[in-house]
Amino acid sequence: MGGGVSSLYSAGVLVTAYELDLFGRVRNLGDAALAQYLGTDEARKAVQMSLVANVANVHLALLGDDELLRVTQATLATRGDSLRLTKLKFDNGAASLLELRQAESLLEGARVALAQATRQRALDENALVLLLGQALPADLPAAASAGQALDRQLAATELPAGLPSEVLTRRPDVRQAEQQLIAANANIGAARAAFFPKITLTGSLGSASSALDGLFRAGSLGWSFAPQLLQPIFDAGRNQANLQLAQVARDIAVAQYERAVQSAFREVADALAGRATLGEQLRAQQAQLRAEQERTSLTELRYRSGAASALDVLDAQRSLFAAQQAVVQLQTLRVQNLVTLYRVLGGGWAPADTAPVASR
């Protein structure tokens, strides 16, 4: 520079500004950010748990479809035999046209049920492939063992008695709502701290010299330190509005947390009600199936001895097929209810000590 004024050259590294957190603003902002992160992680866990439950439910539905197909195919074969026998008797004058048409109707009804079961299995298989994102594994239970697989699921997975209500705190949606409430409370603290002065410390470290050629010589190291006080004198009500906004957000977070807890209790109560009623319904349906099996056998014996008509046999076979279908459907619903319990209880339970096992 001219005029005899010496020039000053410098090359410095700016040190990040540091705020003296006298009133907890930075700490509260950090707590809010951490709580928001933890809430996001709990949302991830909730999605993961829902995916596991959906895969399990669709797989169990596929087992039920396989068992229903096996029952339907066996029924179709039996009704085909009955139709051939009835037609032979009709041709020889030993059966009426009504009995022939009844046998034909039952055979076609079995074919309708087979087409429905085949379509439903294809739909469930496509749903499972979509959830897995790949072709079905080759080691899935075969159709012939689907019924046994459902029975094993019922026998191996049961809810232990004495689960504490605290198990619901393991649910990711409840944890997420809790973290949102923590973040909202922390934001209130940060909004309150905005009313107080803010002190920042800014420093730079580098090399300084009055001449450019001496900028990086030994002894030219320089350090500058600049504290700054920011006093919120007039902000046109911005800080007050931010505080009110944070308080409203806290009230919303409280309501969301209460709703999450209430929803958790409702879902668990519904799942437990299903567990109790479905179990009793399945036992009754299995008893009815045994009665229908015995009734069909006795009716066929009476028919062969001439004590019962073909219509009696066809009616017994129709009732037997309906009972078989109902048992398979209830078995599927029963094991799917256990999957629902896994989800609503936050990821399962430990039978040994009745402590919940959270999904991670």
Side-chain angles (χ1 to χ4, degrees), residues 170-227:
R170 303 290 185 96
R171 285 175 52 122
D173 58 338
V174 175
R175 286 174 174 261
Q176 181 185 7
E178 181 180 352
Q179 293 300 329
Q180 289 173 345
L181 181 57
I182 292 174
N185 281 322
N187 283 330
I188 290 178
R192 283 174 177 163
F195 287 93
F196 299 96
K198 183 171 63 173
I199 300 176
T200 59
L201 306 177
T202 305
S204 62
L205 176 67
S207 182
S209 174
S210 60
L212 182 61
D213 57 357
L215 181 61
F216 296 107
R217 291 179 180 175
S220 64
L221 186 66
W223 162 261
S224 64
F225 177 71

Side-chain angles (χ1 to χ4, degrees), residues 123-146:
L123 294 176
D124 288 336
E125 181 176 348
N126 293 338
L128 188 56
V129 169
L130 177 63
L131 288 171
L132 295 177
Q134 62 181 21
L136 296 185
D139 57 350
L140 285 177
S145 61

Side-chain angles (χ1 to χ4, degrees), residues 35 60 84 88-89 103 105 107 116 129 134 160 167 182 196 220 238 245 285 306 331:
L60 293 171
R84 284 188 292 271
L88 179 61
K89 288 189 173 185
S105 175
L107 178 64
Q116 292 174 339
V129 169
Q134 62 181 21
V167 70
I182 292 174
F196 299 96
S220 64
R238 182 182 60 185
L245 179 63
Q285 191 65 58
Q331 284 178 325

Side-chain angles (χ1 to χ4, degrees), residues 238-252:
R238 182 182 60 185
N239 287 338
Q240 182 63 38
N242 287 337
L243 176 59
Q244 292 175 351
L245 179 63
Q247 291 171 338
V248 171
R250 190 270 313 275
D251 294 339
I252 294 174

Side-chain angles (χ1 to χ4, degrees), residues 168 173-174 177 256-266:
L168 298 183
D173 58 338
V174 175
Q256 290 175 337
Y257 180 73
E258 292 176 349
R259 184 184 63 179
V261 173
Q262 292 169 357
S263 298
F265 275 101
R266 166 69 184 275

